[in-house]
């Protein structure tokens, strides 16, 4: 995973050394909310921090679950393949999950999504863009059509990988009341601190605040996250630029290999279609101590796909050498 520069690492340690650890965290994470809001050009009342996006997802699934229409249970709509927590967290709570497959270019299948929405109006819609594991941004016009079709739901656009993308989707949040944006610091060098947040209308944030545990975000996390949006914001951008540079270098190296097809990526990983079964490549890479993500257990079109995270230049060279021998 990406690592911040030495200066930034030092600053983090310094900030963490100034603690009065006997006190509870600020329950409203006020300074952090202000820092995020200022950085993004929204108000602090539109920011809900949580212990990773994972916690924010679970808060949404706790707050927005009054069954709609004639349903006996709340419904969550998402795509497949995508980040698994939308489904897992929903199932744990006994909610109904509808998964609509992405189309052949891993983009939103708008007609199918519209049918699903008409069939069972969802409470919540989760769409990751850039998507994990496919790495692509959803087409803006398609995303907008889904937002319009799901007017009775809150549509959560998960921008976990947005630091690596060419554009964000805040504009949809500004234009549609039923849109919220989910972000995290986990993909830009701060995974250990667990800080995710939702950008949403103040009334949505207020509802989530009611179901949130009072001291959910620990003080060290609040401090470090505040730095990420202020003093260290340029270090974060620099890190993202480096990864994007490595991503294109790795993509062109792998793109030259026969038997591999690389989808354009807007994230910190590549999505490879493999002519050989992905399971075989996964095992052979593992024997060389290179761990990639395979989805072969799910079968179908995923049996020929691998997700590989962009590493350091030497890790990427090693991966390219290994794949050159194996494909
Ligand atoms: N959303 C997406 C699309 C992800 O891929 C991930 C992590 N794999 C998350 C959210 C979870 O992030 P966090 O560490 O903030 O809980």
């Amino acid at each position: 995973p990406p690592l911040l520069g030495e200066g930034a690492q030092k600053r983090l340690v310094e900030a963490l050394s100034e603690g009065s650890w006997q006190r509870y965290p600020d329950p409203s994470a006020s300074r952090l909310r202000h820092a995020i809001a200022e950085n993004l050009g929204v108000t602090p009342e539109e920011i809900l921090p949580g212990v990773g996006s994972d916690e924010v997802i679970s808060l949404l699934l706790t707050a927005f679950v009054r069954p709609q229409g004639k349903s006996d249970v709340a419904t969550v709509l998402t795509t497949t393949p995508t980040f698994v927590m939308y489904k897992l967290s929903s199932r744990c709570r006994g909610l109904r999950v509808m998964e609509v497959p992405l189309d052949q270019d891993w983009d939103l299948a708008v007609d199918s999504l519209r049918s699903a929405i008409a069939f069972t109006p969802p409470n919540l819609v989760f769409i990751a863009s850039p998507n994990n594991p496919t790495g692509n941004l959803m087409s803006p016009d398609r995303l907008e059509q889904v937002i319009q079709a799901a007017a009775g739901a809150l549509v959560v656009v998960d921008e976990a990988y947005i630091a690596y993308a060419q554009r964000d989707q805040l504009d949809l949040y500004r234009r549609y009341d039923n849109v919220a944006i989910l972000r995290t610091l986990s993909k830009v060098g701060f995974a250990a601190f667990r800080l995710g947040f939702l950008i949403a209308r103040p009334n949505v944030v207020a509802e989530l605040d009611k179901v949130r545990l009072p001291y959910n975000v620990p003080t060290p996390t609040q401090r470090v996250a505040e730095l990420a949006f202020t003093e260290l914001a340029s270090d974060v951008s620099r890190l993202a630029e480096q990864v994007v540079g490595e991503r294109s270098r790795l993509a062109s190296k792998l793109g030259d290999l026969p038997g591999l097809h690389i989808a354009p990526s807007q994230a910190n990983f590549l999505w490879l279609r493999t002519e050989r079964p992905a399971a075989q490549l996964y095992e052979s890479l593992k024997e060389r101590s290179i761990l990639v993500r395979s989805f072969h257990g799910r079968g179908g079109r995923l049996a020929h796909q691998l997700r590989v995270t962009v590493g350091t230049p030497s890790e990427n060279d090693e991966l390219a050498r290994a794949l050159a021998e194996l494909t």
Side-chain angles (χ1 to χ4, degrees):
L3 198 66
L4 289 165
E6 220 171 281
Q9 300 280 356
K10 261 204 182 130
R11 185 65 189 96
L12 293 184
V13 172
E14 198 180 286
L16 291 172
S17 70
E18 297 157 359
S20 45
W21 308 129
Q22 76 279 20
R23 299 193 191 284
Y24 274 90
D26 170 8
S28 61
S30 177
R31 287 178 56 128
L32 174 58
R33 284 166 113 137
H34 276 83
I36 299 175
E38 181 147 324
N39 184 282
L40 296 176
V42 298
T43 65
E45 291 70 35
E46 293 169 272
I47 301 296
L48 182 99
V51 181
S53 332
D54 288 347
E55 190 193 35
V56 179
I57 293 167
S58 75
L59 292 173
L60 286 160
L61 295 172
T62 306
F64 295 101
V65 287
R66 185 179 297 158
Q68 306 269 89
K70 288 188 212 116
S71 298
D72 51 346
V73 61
T75 300
V76 172
L77 174 64
T78 189
T79 60
T80 184
T82 192
F83 181 48
V84 292
M85 287 306 285
Y86 316 135
K87 175 166 74 180
L88 288 184
S89 256
S90 301
R91 291 253 170 90
C92 289
R93 289 171 172 73
L95 309 182
R96 180 188 291 127
V97 181
M98 292 193 293
E99 295 176 275
V100 173
L102 294 170
D103 75 3
Q104 60 178 7
D105 300 318
W106 314 107
D107 202 347
L108 296 171
V110 176
D111 287 341
S112 308
L113 284 159
R114 275 212 194 93
S115 307
I117 292 163
F119 185 70
T120 311
N123 295 54
L124 289 161
V125 182
F126 286 97
I127 296 175
S129 178
N131 188 40
N132 173 11
T134 60
N136 56 316
L137 280 162
M138 300 298 125
S139 299
D141 55 321
R142 294 190 190 194
L143 190 48
E144 189 160 353
Q145 286 170 47
V146 174
I147 290 162
Q148 289 170 353
L154 181 66
V155 180
V156 179
V157 180
D158 186 343
E159 293 193 334
Y161 297 95
I162 207 65
Y164 304 106
Q166 278 159 332
R167 55 177 175 84
D168 66 33
Q169 293 139 134
L170 277 173
D171 152 67
L172 289 172
Y173 167 68
R174 292 192 193 96
R175 289 194 288 122
Y176 291 94
D177 279 342
N178 66 324
V179 171
I181 306 281
L182 184 59
R183 290 198 180 173
T184 178
L185 287 181
S186 293
K187 315 299 174 186
V188 288
F190 296 89
F193 288 101
R194 307 298 297 129
L195 195 282
F197 62 97
L198 192 72
I199 309 160
R201 295 288 181 272
N203 62 325
V204 170
V205 169
E207 291 308 306
L208 294 169
D209 248 336
K210 292 181 193 167
V211 299
R212 177 178 68 80
L213 297 179
Y215 302 105
N216 59 332
V217 183
T219 305
T221 302
Q222 291 192 28
R223 290 226 176 126
V224 161
E226 188 189 334
L227 285 179
F229 289 98
T230 52
E231 264 182 75
L232 300 183
S234 55
D235 296 81
V236 172
S237 316
R238 203 169 319 126
L239 171 95
E241 273 166 34
Q242 282 166 6
V243 172
V244 167
E246 266 306 292
R247 179 181 73 197
S248 67
R249 197 179 69 89
L250 180 62
S252 69
K253 264 177 173 277
L254 300 187
D256 292 339
L257 301 180
L260 280 186
H261 305 268
I262 294 142
S265 171
Q266 299 277 317
N268 61 349
F269 51 79
L270 295 177
W271 183 234
L272 312 180
R273 185 157 57 81
T274 62
E275 281 171 22
R276 282 183 62 190
Q280 291 175 13
L281 287 173
Y282 169 81
E283 290 298 338
S284 308
L285 287 170
K286 202 169 148 196
E287 277 165 23
R288 296 165 196 235
S289 305
I290 299 176
L291 200 59
V292 299
R293 188 70 204 272
S294 171
F295 300 83
H296 56 263
R298 311 250 296 267
R301 59 182 173 166
L302 296 184
H304 286 265
Q305 295 285 159
L306 288 177
R307 188 192 71 187
V308 305
T309 299
V310 178
T312 62
S314 64
E315 286 169 344
N316 296 333
D317 290 342
E318 201 180 321
L319 172 74
R321 265 197 306 275
L323 283 172
E325 287 171 28
L326 296 170
T327 53

